[in-house]
């Protein structure tokens, strides 16, 4: 399934195209509620949403990127957008919550924090009990045996990372495939 990017400064998060459309819809619904309260404050965000939706509808799969740099040009706009993202998290399922959180993660993360989060993920995968960097709850590894996409999640939904799944050829894993030089 095609994935597009959400970008802000040097940070990037990837999201499946189908889920991007659903996330944009929920963000727009939250924005629509706030615009009626104060239209002048959120006019810029309406323009941004129109551009992102236009890109979503007209660009090919995998190229429906959401570029935040041109819109979040000051701390006020960034705070307004975060407020809308928080409102959009109301009444969404877990899968969509994870995807909308990618918008929050990309605007909140310092590029140098990637290494810190990679270390957290590696420790969880090794079986260590690792506290969530946001709330302190112990992170949970959700493996492929759960029927869901492999990920590391916080029980309070403060932290989530979808893990990339690498397929291993079962013949190689069992040592049944002949390799060059073997008889």
């Amino acid at each position: 399934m095609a994935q597009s990017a959400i970008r802000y400064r040097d940070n990037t998060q990837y999201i499946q195209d189908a889920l991007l459309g659903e996330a944009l819809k929920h963000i727009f619904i939250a924005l629509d509620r706030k615009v009626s309260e104060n239209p002048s404050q959120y006019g810029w965000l309406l323009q941004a949403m129109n551009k992102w939706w236009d890109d979503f509808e007209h660009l090919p799969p995998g190229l429906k990127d959401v570029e935040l740099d041109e819109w979040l040009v000051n701390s006020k706009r960034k705070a307004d957008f975060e407020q809308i993202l928080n409102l959009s998290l109301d009444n969404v399922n877990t899968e969509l919550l994870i995807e909308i959180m990618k918008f929050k993660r990309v605007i909140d993360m310092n590029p140098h924090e990637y290494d810190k989060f990679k270390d957290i993920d590696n420790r969880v995968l090794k079986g260590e009990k690792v506290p969530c960097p946001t709330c302190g709850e112990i992170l949970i590894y959700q493996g492929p045996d759960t029927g869901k996409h492999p990920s590391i999640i916080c029980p309070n939904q403060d932290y989530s990372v979808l893990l990339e799944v690498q397929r291993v050829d079962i013949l190689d894993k069992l040592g049944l495939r002949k390799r060059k030089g073997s008889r």
Side-chain angles (χ1 to χ4, degrees):
M1 197 165 236
Q3 292 189 347
S4 295
I6 303 166
R7 288 191 187 92
Y8 181 64
R9 297 189 178 156
D10 293 331
N11 302 327
T12 303
Q13 291 283 303
Y14 294 96
I15 183 170
Q16 289 181 1
D17 285 352
L19 294 173
L20 174 60
E22 288 300 310
L24 289 174
K25 285 179 191 175
H26 278 81
I27 294 168
F28 179 76
I29 290 167
L31 174 61
D32 191 44
R33 283 185 254 147
K34 290 303 275 184
V35 166
S36 61
E37 294 173 15
N38 190 351
S40 62
Q41 181 178 353
Y42 298 100
W44 68 270
L45 190 48
L46 278 174
Q47 290 176 339
M49 290 296 300
N50 284 332
K51 172 150 181 11
W52 299 333
W53 189 257
D54 187 58
D55 289 349
F56 176 77
E57 285 188 324
H58 296 102
L59 291 176
L63 298 176
K64 303 171 184 295
D65 299 347
V66 175
E67 303 288 346
L68 299 172
D69 288 308
E70 65 183 288
W71 302 100
L72 304 181
V73 295
N74 58 44
S75 58
K76 174 76 171 109
R77 282 188 173 189
K78 184 178 171 189
D80 288 345
F81 186 55
E82 285 181 295
Q83 180 184 25
I84 297 300
L85 290 174
N86 289 334
L87 290 172
S88 71
L89 294 172
D90 294 340
N91 303 318
V92 295
N93 64 31
T94 304
E95 183 179 37
L96 200 52
L97 182 131
I98 290 169
E99 301 309 313
I100 293 173
M101 288 298 291
K102 289 179 180 180
F103 282 87
K104 291 181 60 108
R105 191 175 301 126
V106 81
I107 61 178
D108 288 339
M109 188 177 285
N110 177 335
H112 303 291
E113 289 178 337
Y114 281 120
D115 293 335
K116 178 178 102 175
F117 286 108
K118 185 177 179 183
D119 181 54
I120 288 171
D121 299 345
N122 288 336
R123 290 175 44 214
V124 171
L125 291 173
K126 287 179 186 174
E128 292 181 37
K129 293 187 183 218
V130 180
C132 172
T134 306
C135 70
E137 287 287 325
I138 300 299
L139 296 173
I140 300 168
Y141 169 63
Q142 178 177 279
D145 55 325
T146 63
K148 298 181 180 177
H149 192 290
S151 58
I152 296 172
I153 59 172
C154 171
N156 294 331
Q157 301 174 344
D158 291 331
Y159 180 88
S160 65
V161 174
L162 293 177
L163 301 173
E164 190 172 317
V165 180
Q166 294 180 345
R167 304 228 185 255
V168 175
D169 188 333
I170 190 70
L171 295 175
D172 287 337
K173 191 171 185 177
L174 295 174
L176 299 175
R177 186 178 309 265
K178 289 188 176 185
R179 291 183 170 47
K180 290 182 181 179
S182 65
R183 295 181 182 202

